[in-house]
Each structure stands twice: as structure tokens, then as C-alpha cells.
Amino acid sequence: MNKLKNKYLFIPLASAILSLAVFIIINLNQVEKSSKLYIDFLNDISNKKVSTVYLTNSPTINIKLKDGSLYTTDNPRTNDFKDTLLKNGIKVSESQPFTKSESIPFAGFIISLAVLAVMSLKNARLTSPSKLSVDSIEASAVVKSNFNFSSIAGNDEAKESVKDIVDFLKNPEKYTKYGARMPKGLILYGEPGTGKTLLAKAVAGEAGVPFYAMSGSDFIQVYVGVGASRIRQLFKKARSNGKAVIFIDEIDAIGKKRDGSKNGGSDERDQTLNALLTEMSGFNEKEGIIIMAATNRMDMLDPALLRPGRFDRHIEITLPDINARKKIFSLHLENKPALDIDIEDWSQKTAYFSGAKIESLVNEAAILACKEDSEFIENKHLDKAFSIVLAGHEKINRDYIKDRDKKITAYHEAGHAIVSLKVLSEDKISKITIIPSSKGAGGYTLSIPQDNMYQNKDYLTKKMMVLLGGRAAEEIIFGSENVTTGAFNDIKTCSNIVSSMVTQYGMGETLGLLNLQEFSNILNINTEDILKECKNIVNMLYNKVKNLLISENNLLESLSKNLIEKETLYYDDLIELAHNKK
Ligand code: ADP
Ligand code: ZN
């Protein structure tokens, strides 16, 4: 933006120099061409040829004839010279003459100077830290965002959870009439390139409101106070247009957890964060302003940001599964000359690719096709592009379509799902996927727990069995030598449950109804027994789970195969498989 302004600054500068040059040339020419003897001048007077005499104190004076020509002659410096001239009907001017050919470049010079001054003043204001306008920090107000929900493939849950926001933006009065309090802020979290910005734009597009976007890192500057003032300006600008979607990318740059150590020099960040929170509580629901923020580090955010009335709705944006990838391929090939591209096959090959990466794959293929002057983008171009894109991302292990990884994850998740279905059917499994979530491991199995105020011993035990199901399936299929770290979180949660049961909930034998924590500072408790009891419980459950999975071997196989193929399965798919394969 600033560079652009600087470029324009060049225009008045050039014209100033040019007009100055013309001015000088004209003047030089004049000095040379016209000088007459005083006697000739007197002749001109008597011949009534003289129109104006420019009378100054210099040794020579300028004379203008009636035909427009100019010359100089000696200044007589007599006292009645002016009187004589006037009596002869000659105009007397007491300044230097100005010809038309001179005045044009001179005016040009003055105007250029003025423009230059104004522009550089403006420029200085843009770059000076104290008076930043939002323009200078690339808040782009797209008056009408061209995106809508159909521009986004997959992420149906996320789309579903912003639908009411769109409705609210269209018609905020309706919601206030019912006294409904809409969230002021939403956080979209997930891997980079999964379409968080896209979703925010789509919300603005669907609602038909302007979209303002900035990145958290734009706010963090060397100068203290700049970030806060940018926040205020951003909100001012957005509010001046009524309804709006304000999008703040990389919110973690300003909203990172404060780590206690006050000497981190994070004054600037605190001020910026406070300004944001103040602005957010400053407008009311009726205004129809929604702030959407994106991050890939949800766990890093300051809890102050997440409180009610601030960013109180959190929406996960996941990597696309095979169906979504198909749609993304179709979307990005839509307006390109593509021939016989096997989208099905490409969606298979691009497991763990983000939407952005698929886009760059297609783009790379288009560039290759163009380089070859090929009429169409074909599979061979995608093939080449694929190795380019992969090579560029080689370091990130997960990007490789490792069939083995996919297989392990599939069996692991199938294990969770089957145990859940068999021992804990009251928790309905809504989704099983081998596409990783930003929260955790390789894949996940999502079940909706029942809403009970108390969790009883039986429930906790079954919950542990479900957690152990992933590792158990791995062990059954791949052998105990080949189990993976994929069960890290499961084991952690399971240990947490069993230790709570034994040491806090009074559900174990060793401590009975005692809570371990209450004795921690008076006794040197022998924790060995507690550990032993926990271990026995978990081992016993693990064996049960393994037996269960072995007896459900058919289902385990069919479920895993389906997962490898389709990547995401829902409740109905699971039930269907369970019925067929038994
Ligand atoms: P993020 O904000 O999560 O980093 P972006 O929204 O900037 O990701 O996505 C970058 C680009 O990738 C988008 O402009 C779009 O072209 C493509 N893309 C990402 N996810 C999707 C998706 N689900 N559907 C269609 N295109 C997508
Ligand atoms: Zn697991």
C-alpha cells in the first residue's frame, strides 16, 4: 500500500522538474534574444510601438511592444522617466514582465509542488505510528463478499453452526425482540488451510454484509499502543457501515495466554487484547456485528477471550475427508479447461491434504499445462504437480499418504467404535473418522454422552473400556510389537479415570472411602498399592476388550475397510455394518 503511494509521488515530482526546466530554458532564451539601444527604444516610443515598460531598479528595464515582443534596454534612472512614459500613453508596470510562454511552466511548477506537498504529508501520516488509519493496515472491506456456503466443501457441521449467525446478521432485530443474546465472537479453529477464512467470508457473503479482515500479527508492532489504536480504528470503520463481519486471523498473536512472567515485554499485546475486549463489550447486539477469529492453536488462547460475551462459540474446522476432497477438486477445476481428470482417484491419493493444498495442487497443474501449451489440464499434469507439492511439504510427515498409517488409524478407531457400540450403547456414536482433528491423534470417534448428573462406577468402567478399544484393536491386528503412540491420549484419559476412581471417588479397594489428597501432607502413603490396584483394573478391562474385539472380528474388519475407503462414517453406516456382518 505504501509502496503504491510512493510510486504516485513520483508523478508530481517529475512534472515539477519538467516545468522548472522549461521555465529556465525560456528565460535563458529571452535574455539572449532581446536587447536594444536606448536610442532605439526612444524611437519606438515616438513611433507609438511601445505597450508596456517594466520599470524596476535594475540597470536594465524590460520593454513590451504592442506586437507582443519583448526586449531590454538601459534604465535611464531619471526622475521623470515614468511621468514621460505615462504622458506618451505607455503602461508602466513596476514588476518583471511575464510572458504566456513563461507563465505556463511556472504555474505547472507551483501546482506540482503543491500536489507533492499534499501527497507527502498524507504519506507521512500513513507511516507515522501514531496516526494509523485502517487503510494502511490492509483491512480490506469487501463490500460484498462473493463467497457463500457453496464455496466451501465439507465441514458441514461448521456450516450448520454458523447458519443462525447468518440469519442474525440479516435480521438482528428479530433476535433482540425475543431477547436472544447472540454470540459476539466466534472462534474457528483447525489446521492451516482448512478454510477458516473462507467460512468467515461465506458468512459475510450469505448475509450480504461487508467483510473486514485483519491478521493478529498486524496488531503486534514495535510501537506500544499501535495495536490498540488499530483495533479501535478497525471497529470504528466497521461500525460506521452498520452490519459487518470482522475477521481476525491468527488471533493467538494477540490473545496468547499470559504466562505469568511479566517481563516478557508483552505490554503491547496486553494493551491490544484489552482494546479488543473493550471494543467487543462496547457494541450491542442490535448492531449486527460479528467478530470471527481464527487460530490453529486453540489451547494457547487466553481464557479471558473465551468468556461469555466474548468469543463464546468455538467451531472446529477439520481437514477434508474423501468426499469433501472430491468436492474441493471439483470446485477448483470448475472454471479450468480440464480433461478426463479422475477426481475419484485424486481424492483417494490426497488423504490428509487441506483444502488449500488441494487448491495449490490444482493450480500447480494448471501452470504446468500452461507451460506446455497444452490445451487441457490432464492427469499427467496433476501427477507432476503432486510430486512438486509433496516435495514442498515433505517435512510434514503426515502429508504423505501413508497407507499403513491410514490402516492403523482405521483399525484403532474401529476398535473404539465397536467397544462403544457393544458395551456403552447409550452413548450414541455420531461420527467415526480417520481424518485427524486438531485436538488430537490420528482420527477420532465422536460419541454423544448421555446427560447424567452423576457418573456411576459402571459408566466409568465402560468408558475406560471404550478408551482401551483403540490400542486393543491395534494389538490384535498388528501384534504387540507394532502398537503405536496413537493411543497416547486414550491411555492418559483412562489413567485419569482409574486414579480418580481409586483415590477420589471412593470406588477402589486400597483406600476405600478415603480421598488420597486429604492425607498427602500428613502421611507418607505407600502409593505402590494404589498403583497396583489401578493397574489391575485397567489390565482386567483391557483383556475384556481384547476378547470382545476378537469375537467381533468380522465387524472389526468390515468397519476398518469401510473407514479406509470412505474415511468418515456416521451412526447409520455403523449400524448397517453391524447388522450385515453378524
Ligand atoms: P485458513 O484460513 O483455514 O488457513 P483459507 O480459508 O485461507 O484457510 O483457505 C485457503 C484456500 O484453500 C481457500 O481460499 C480455498 O480456495 C481453499 N480451501 C480450503 N478449504 C476449502 C474447502 N473446504 N472448500 C473449498 N476450498 C477450500
Ligand atoms: Zn484412540
Side-chain angles (χ1 to χ4, degrees):
M1 198 98 178
N2 264 338
K3 266 186 207 140
L4 218 71
K5 281 256 152 68
N6 286 337
K7 223 187 281 166
Y8 290 133
L9 220 81
F10 191 70
I11 298 171
L13 198 72
S15 82
I17 293 171
L18 205 76
S19 19
L20 193 67
V22 173
F23 183 69
I24 289 171
I25 290 167
I26 290 175
N27 265 325
L28 279 177
N29 283 348
Q30 263 167 16
V31 169
E32 265 183 73
K33 91 177 150 209
S34 49
S35 169
K36 279 190 187 177
L37 292 174
Y38 189 65
I39 189 97
D40 292 332
F41 166 60
L42 292 180
N43 269 337
D44 282 344
I45 291 180
S46 46
N47 290 338
K48 302 244 178 269
K49 276 187 181 167
V50 178
S51 138
T52 315
V53 170
Y54 297 90
L55 193 57
T56 59
N57 264 334
S58 53
T60 57
I61 51 171
N62 287 287
I63 316 298
K64 191 180 184 182
L65 296 184
K66 285 186 176 144
D67 63 7
S69 61
L70 268 170
Y71 62 87
T72 57
T73 189
D74 288 321
N75 191 348
R77 301 200 204 224
T78 52
N79 285 337
D80 59 350
F81 184 52
K82 187 174 176 180
D83 183 53
T84 320
L85 291 173
L86 290 172
K87 278 182 183 151
N88 276 296
I90 295 168
K91 275 185 250 160
V92 177
S93 164
E94 305 214 1
S95 64
Q96 288 292 338
F98 235 12
T99 61
K100 238 187 236 157
S101 53
E102 248 178 340
S103 57
I104 289 171
F106 189 72
F109 180 66
I110 296 291
I111 290 169
S112 308
L113 272 192
V115 172
L116 200 67
V118 169
M119 277 179 84
S120 51
L121 216 92
K122 240 191 186 161
N123 222 29
R125 200 176 302 149
L126 286 176
T127 36
S128 93
S130 54
K131 285 187 172 178
L132 270 155
S133 90
V134 176
D135 295 322
S136 65
I137 33 179
E138 284 167 26
S140 41
V142 184
V143 174
K144 201 176 165 296
S145 157
N146 293 322
F147 293 92
N148 54 34
F149 286 150
S150 60
S151 334
I152 307 170
N155 274 311
D156 296 323
E157 289 103 332
K159 278 192 258 183
E160 202 53 50
S161 45
V162 292
K163 281 212 171 115
D164 59 339
I165 300 289
V166 172
D167 192 41
F168 162 70
L169 281 171
K170 280 186 183 159
N171 203 347
E173 299 81 18
K174 187 173 100 189
Y175 284 79
T176 38
K177 205 168 85 190
Y178 284 95
R181 191 186 64 78
M182 286 309 279
K184 287 179 170 176
L186 277 69
I187 287 189
L188 310 175
Y189 65 97
E191 307 261 328
T194 42
K196 297 182 287 294
T197 314
L198 200 61
L199 182 67
K201 280 186 187 158
V203 168
E206 290 275 338
V209 304
F211 178 75
Y212 295 88
M214 277 181 88
S215 171
S217 53
D218 291 340
F219 295 109
I220 302 304
Q221 297 291 321
V222 206
Y223 307 102
V224 173
V226 175
S229 111
R230 283 182 176 182
I231 292 267
R232 285 190 288 272
Q233 301 232 16
L234 175 65
F235 275 79
K236 198 169 149 201
K237 196 167 168 188
R239 288 172 77 177
S240 69
N241 280 324
K243 300 175 186 177
V245 169
I246 297 177
F247 179 68
I248 303 176
D249 205 358
E250 296 175 53
I251 184 82
D252 37 296
I254 40 178
K256 218 183 267 168
K257 251 179 220 157
R258 288 167 249 213
D259 52 0
S261 66
K262 268 287 133 200
N263 47 3
S266 60
D267 246 15
E268 166 67 352
R269 204 170 57 211
D270 286 356
Q271 279 193 21
T272 310
L273 181 58
N274 287 338
L276 176 64
L277 297 178
T278 314
E279 288 296 332
M280 282 184 81
S281 46
F283 64 85
N284 72 39
E285 282 80 6
K286 265 180 255 165
E287 290 185 51
I289 290 179
I290 290 286
I291 300 135
M292 299 180 79
T295 179
N296 40 20
R297 294 302 309 273
M298 188 69 183
D299 54 312
M300 300 263 289
L301 294 185
D302 194 316
L305 266 176
L306 307 178
R307 266 180 224 136
R310 292 165 179 178
F311 291 97
D312 48 5
R313 190 180 291 184
H314 312 150
I315 299 169
E316 180 174 21
I317 312 291
T318 56
L319 286 171
D321 64 12
I322 192 160
N323 271 320
R325 292 201 299 274
K326 262 188 237 171
K327 281 189 210 144
I328 297 174
F329 268 109
S330 313
L331 270 176
H332 289 292
L333 284 168
E334 211 168 45
N335 298 316
K336 297 189 174 72
L339 183 74
D340 292 340
I341 288 190
D342 191 345
I343 289 186
E344 181 78 42
D345 181 46
W346 279 108
S347 326
Q348 295 272 5
K349 280 191 199 160
T350 45
Y352 308 143
F353 268 49
S354 68
K357 203 146 38 148
I358 295 176
E359 192 204 359
S360 90
L361 174 67
V362 172
N363 187 48
E364 204 71 51
I367 292 173
L368 289 170
C370 174
K371 268 192 200 158
E372 282 179 15
D373 276 331
S374 159
E375 200 177 339
F376 296 105
I377 305 172
E378 294 171 47
N379 274 319
K380 61 173 183 192
H381 301 122
L382 272 172
D383 269 328
K384 249 193 196 167
F386 191 63
S387 19
I388 296 174
V389 172
L390 271 194
H393 299 268
E394 210 159 4
K395 277 156 257 140
I396 309 162
N397 213 0
R398 262 229 326 263
D399 288 351
Y400 262 122
I401 326 144
K402 280 194 181 154
D403 282 343
R404 195 180 156 75
D405 278 5
K406 236 176 135 172
K407 202 169 154 191
I408 293 171
T409 313
Y411 278 99
H412 179 108
E413 296 308 324
H416 284 309
I418 293 168
V419 179
S420 176
L421 189 70
K422 296 296 165 184
V423 307
L424 202 63
S425 54
E426 59 265 40
D427 281 6
K428 191 175 153 182
I429 296 169
S430 60
K431 181 178 176 178
I432 321 165
T433 180
I434 55 171
I435 296 298
S437 122
S438 63
K439 275 186 206 142
Y444 59 96
T445 301
L446 199 70
S447 57
I448 306 165
Q450 280 200 313
D451 251 343
N452 288 335
M453 186 155 46
Y454 300 116
Q455 294 180 320
N456 61 25
K457 189 174 170 183
D458 182 53
Y459 179 85
L460 290 173
T461 309
K462 288 172 172 171
K463 189 99 204 154
M464 283 195 281
M465 287 175 77
V466 174
L467 284 165
L468 294 169
R471 165 59 70 86
E474 282 185 46
E475 193 189 320
I476 293 168
I477 304 295
F478 304 99
S480 55
E481 306 290 298
N482 296 314
V483 293
T484 67
T485 52
F488 170 80
N489 266 313
D490 302 335
I491 291 171
K492 197 171 161 195
T493 315
C494 189
S495 302
N496 179 292
I497 295 176
V498 76
S499 94
S500 302
M501 283 173 79
V502 174
T503 68
Q504 292 175 50
Y505 304 153
M507 294 176 181
E509 310 261 302
T510 318
L511 288 174
L513 289 173
L514 299 182
N515 182 322
L516 181 66
Q517 274 160 8
E518 303 305 318
F519 301 95
S520 57
N521 37 13
I522 42 170
L523 297 171
N524 197 358
I525 298 173
N526 180 7
T527 47
E528 216 170 278
D529 290 345
I530 297 169
L531 261 181
K532 207 166 164 188
E533 183 180 4
C534 291
K535 200 171 143 189
N536 282 339
I537 294 173
V538 174
N539 276 349
M540 184 267 292
L541 292 177
Y542 187 67
N543 283 326
K544 258 175 130 174
V545 166
K546 270 204 295 194
N547 288 332
L548 171 71
L549 286 176
I550 289 168
S551 70
E552 293 289 344
N553 189 39
N554 284 341
L555 182 55
L556 183 61
E557 288 297 336
S558 64
L559 186 51
S560 316
K561 294 229 163 65
N562 264 275
L563 270 175
I564 292 169
E565 200 181 304
K566 300 201 181 110
E567 295 179 0
T568 305
L569 296 175
Y570 297 90
Y571 180 74
D572 293 341
D573 306 317
L574 179 64
I575 296 303
E576 205 188 310
L577 283 168
H579 282 303
N580 286 349
K581 297 280 167 173
K582 270 262 63 169

